Amino acid sequence: MAEGADPTAEQQYMLELTNRFRSDPQGELAKLVNFSSPGLWAASKSNDPSIAYALNFFGTSASDLATQFSTLTAAPPLAWSSALNVSATSYSNLMVTSDQQSHTLDANSLDQRIINGGYSANWLNAGENLFASAQSPFHSHAAFVVDWGDGNGATAGYGNGIQNPAGHRDLLLDASMKEIGIGFQDISIPGSNATAIGPYVITEHLASQFRYDGINYFSDAILTGSVYQDTILADAFYTPGEGLAGEAINVYNDTTGILVASGFSNSAGGFNIALTGLTNGVVYRVEAPDTGLAAKTFTLTEHTDDYGVPVVVYDNVYESFVVVPEPGSLLLCLVAGLSLLGFRSRHQIC
């Protein structure tokens, strides 16, 4: 089995963005693009220049985008999987060495890729998103959520600038997916590359798995979230560099007070704690005791899905702890704007 690693701060940030999107698709769109009124672009289509560039390049239709998002529904959160990160990183490296953006660069099926990375052979679903010319993690997130593409409508006069179907968006909102690995390339990109040009070459592997107790099949819940200080960008949201590592996370049966699960935040401040055997109908309490913050409570949602046999699925749960420093105790950091230079002509995702 390959040895997985903690997410980097940027990968944790992408996970947080993805879970924000899954919790509120319409709200996420409003954070990525600008409408002057419903279905009409504002003068600046996005506050992020790289996103605005792509929307202009592909001629993305504001009205079609707004209509599509009006029908989207929320999904439970995704948890980080180091094994999926191994397979995703390996595939991003393959895109770099092949200088291609394609789902078929090796002789393996997707399920074989994730198993080779150390993911369970008892998988239920799996999916893959690719982007070989992302300007930043935020740009990549927007590319998958908007799903721009479908021909260069701005100059060719066809298409609405949104891929059909919007498979990347659909995958990120697939409620059957429970874990994700976000693989950035970890090798140098040759200057001669024409397609896999980065600066971020990104693969996302999403999947879910099951266990069998000899009688029934289960897909257990995972508690995911982060512990961070909101000091770099005071926006009540995780920013790279704000995560707090090594914070204890304890889960109790709120009625009996019995500890039922525990773990620690990883090096990026995220946590992913398996809630194996926990069930619905019980109130659970989660604490991050060293933060001094109030405990939070949750209950699990159970449903049975048909995978040829019935699988009892418990949806993941998201909780985060935001540590607010004492006034004057820390110097706030200024975030410099990113200069987006040297655009290549296409920013297509697949």
Side-chain angles (χ1 to χ4, degrees):
M1 177 183 293
E3 183 67 24
D6 290 347
T8 65
E10 288 181 314
Q11 289 166 333
Q12 181 68 36
Y13 174 57
M14 280 197 73
L15 173 61
E16 297 288 335
L17 289 171
T18 298
N19 281 333
R20 188 174 72 181
F21 171 52
R22 283 171 71 96
S23 70
D24 180 10
Q26 292 77 24
E28 189 66 14
L29 182 63
K31 293 178 173 66
L32 300 178
V33 305
N34 298 325
F35 295 123
S36 61
S37 59
L40 291 175
W41 290 124
S44 175
K45 295 181 180 180
S46 174
N47 295 334
D48 185 291
S50 58
I51 297 173
Y53 175 93
L55 295 172
N56 285 324
F57 180 84
F58 289 108
T60 302
S61 166
S63 60
D64 285 357
L65 190 63
T67 297
Q68 290 178 11
F69 267 74
S70 69
T71 66
L72 300 181
T73 58
L78 295 169
W80 179 263
S81 166
S82 291
L84 292 177
N85 184 56
V86 168
S87 60
T89 301
S90 177
Y91 202 79
S92 289
N93 289 340
L94 181 59
M95 283 198 288
V96 171
T97 57
S98 303
D99 190 21
Q100 296 182 62
Q101 180 176 274
S102 168
H103 294 276
T104 59
L105 295 180
D106 58 18
N108 294 324
S109 60
L110 176 56
D111 58 299
Q112 192 59 57
R113 282 178 206 152
I114 67 175
I115 291 172
N116 288 349
Y119 197 70
S120 173
N122 293 336
W123 61 276
L124 294 170
N125 290 300
E128 178 178 78
N129 280 340
L130 308 175
F131 192 14
S133 56
Q135 297 297 303
S136 67
F138 189 67
H139 177 234
S140 179
H141 170 68
F144 293 141
V145 169
V146 174
D147 222 348
W148 56 61
D150 193 27
N152 185 354
T155 60
Y158 66 90
N160 63 359
I162 305 169
Q163 296 203 39
N164 183 22
H168 307 89
R169 183 199 307 154
D170 292 343
L171 178 59
L172 288 187
L173 280 180
D174 188 335
S176 72
M177 301 296 179
K178 301 181 74 172
E179 297 179 89
I180 188 171
I182 304 168
F184 301 162
Q185 88 285 355
D186 57 9
I187 60 175
S188 298
I189 301 174
S192 59
N193 272 17
T195 299
I197 57 174
Y200 292 85
V201 178
I202 297 178
T203 302
E204 295 183 334
H205 281 168
L206 292 82
S208 57
Q209 57 183 299
F210 69 91
R211 65 177 173 90
Y212 179 57
D213 69 355
I215 302 174
N216 297 308
Y217 296 88
F218 297 93
S219 180
D220 294 300
I222 304 170
L223 174 65
T224 187
S226 58
V227 185
Y228 64 95
Q229 290 190 114
D230 200 22
T231 52
I232 294 177
L233 187 63
D235 58 353
F237 189 75
Y238 180 97
T239 298
E242 293 182 339
L244 297 177
E247 296 290 335
I249 306 294
N250 298 324
V251 182
Y252 300 89
N253 181 309
D254 195 46
T255 300
T256 66
I258 295 174
L259 180 70
V260 295
S262 63
F264 293 89
S265 60
N266 57 38
S267 58
F271 57 84
N272 305 274
I273 300 172
L275 303 179
T276 306
L278 273 60
T279 185
N280 66 331
V282 177
V283 176
Y284 297 101
R285 183 176 75 252
V286 57
E287 299 179 357
D290 294 338
T291 67
L293 297 173
K296 302 181 181 185
T297 59
F298 66 87
T299 57
L300 294 181
T301 300
E302 174 191 322
H303 49 96
T304 300
D305 296 342
D306 185 2
Y307 288 93
V309 295
V311 178
V312 180
V313 177
Y314 295 100
D315 291 338
N316 290 351
V317 179
Y318 182 91
E319 298 287 357
S320 275
F321 293 88
V322 185
V323 179
V324 180
E326 293 293 330
S329 64
L330 289 175
L331 292 177
L332 298 183
C333 298
L334 295 178
V335 180
L338 177 64
S339 177
L340 297 168
L341 302 177
F343 276 108
R344 302 291 180 98
S345 62
R346 293 187 63 81
H347 296 272
Q348 180 83 22
I349 50 179
C350 75

